[in-house]
Amino acid sequence: MLKPIRILALALICLCPTTHAAEPGAETMRALQTIVTAEHIEEKYRAYLDSSATRHAATLQKMLEEKLNAAPQLSQAQRKRALAMLPAWSAALAADLKIRDKSMNLPALISDMAQTIYPRYFTDAELKELAAFYASSAYQKTIDVSARIKEDKRRTGVADPAAWDKYDHLFTEAENDVILANGDSALGKKLTRVSPALNKEILMYFGAKTSDNINAIAGRHMARFVATMNADTSR
């Protein structure tokens, strides 16, 4: 019989265990909620889960192909049948991985992430200042204009270097002042500086929190594949 095949580790690199700081106060919690909403953390993570599902499934499929091609106990016919099963198996695994976020309480997970990670980079005062900017009409308009420019580029296939100038009329003088002041502020410069590390840590946090869910789904699919193969080789 075909020996059970070892499952590749699918989880992202986990963060080292950390201790939580004191729970933020109500005002800071409201600021954090404003920030994660403005940064579309939930939408970004759901999109990441969806896009990563195919990559995870492809990684396992490749590993299985290598194991099957190297298995001396398989006849040519058995190996051919097993390899023929893999595309459908990989597609089914990817489909299950794509819907795994429905079983998770992402809003609660995001709230926990915000309380854990953002205070490592920003003080309470900075979080409140950042939330105030994100809640401003100036910032909301920049998001709207960014979406329009992205859609224009998708539709035409060309990035217009003067795209922002077309929408300058949508901003009041006061809103332009807010945007410029934020970019020139110590907080604005700090946000630009720490964003790569912050975004990486957020992704690693979610990976660590959801890896058990990912591995459980992959494990079920792997067990079914191995059972099918064992039944085939025992004939």
Side-chain angles (χ1 to χ4, degrees):
M1 296 176 68
L2 184 65
K3 295 181 179 179
I5 302 172
R6 185 180 301 277
I7 300 175
L8 286 180
L10 293 177
L12 297 171
I13 299 173
C14 296
L15 294 174
C16 295
T18 57
T19 55
H20 280 266
E23 186 172 327
E27 193 173 351
T28 300
M29 284 297 299
R30 285 194 292 272
L32 287 169
Q33 182 58 53
T34 298
I35 291 168
V36 297
T37 299
E39 293 183 345
H40 303 286
I41 297 295
E42 181 169 348
E43 293 91 332
K44 289 177 181 177
Y45 187 59
R46 287 187 188 278
Y48 170 78
L49 287 175
D50 189 68
S51 64
S52 66
T54 301
R55 294 197 302 272
H56 288 318
T59 298
L60 272 180
Q61 179 176 344
K62 180 176 174 57
M63 187 268 308
L64 281 173
E65 287 174 351
E66 293 172 352
K67 292 289 186 181
L68 291 169
N69 283 321
Q73 69 270 42
L74 293 179
S75 67
Q76 286 189 350
Q78 289 170 332
R79 183 176 291 107
K80 184 177 180 180
R81 287 197 298 272
L83 291 172
M85 290 168 52
L86 284 180
W89 177 85
S90 179
L93 171 58
D96 272 4
L97 289 173
K98 284 182 179 182
I99 63 172
R100 68 184 179 272
D101 62 334
K102 293 181 179 179
S103 66
M104 296 186 292
N105 186 347
L106 278 183
L109 186 62
I110 290 169
S111 178
D112 184 70
M113 176 281 296
Q115 296 177 57
T116 302
I117 294 179
Y118 278 87
R120 297 178 188 168
Y121 292 86
F122 304 102
T123 65
D124 279 2
E126 288 173 333
L127 289 171
K128 293 168 188 174
E129 182 182 343
L130 185 58
F133 173 66
Y134 281 160
S136 69
S137 62
Y139 178 78
Q140 295 303 319
K141 285 184 180 180
T142 63
I143 297 301
D144 177 57
V145 170
S146 293
R148 295 190 194 192
I149 292 174
K150 184 177 180 179
E151 174 58 23
D152 288 343
K153 181 180 178 182
R154 185 200 65 76
R155 182 169 43 80
T156 64
V158 178
D160 184 354
W164 277 93
D165 294 340
K166 296 179 180 178
Y167 298 101
D168 188 60
H169 66 282
L170 297 177
F171 295 86
T172 66
E173 184 175 349
E175 288 169 340
N176 281 323
D177 289 343
V178 168
I179 294 169
L180 291 173
N182 176 75
D184 291 336
S185 69
L187 178 58
K189 293 176 181 177
K190 180 178 181 179
L191 180 61
T192 300
R193 185 174 68 254
V194 305
S195 283
L198 173 64
N199 292 334
K200 181 179 179 180
E201 190 168 351
I202 289 172
L203 187 59
M204 291 173 69
Y205 178 92
F206 286 133
K209 290 290 186 178
T210 59
S211 62
D212 287 347
N213 199 338
I214 294 170
N215 287 332
I217 293 170
R220 288 196 297 271
H221 281 263
M222 184 66 76
R224 286 197 290 269
F225 182 84
V226 171
T228 300
M229 287 302 304
N230 284 340
D232 183 74
T233 56
S234 65
R235 294 174 187 173

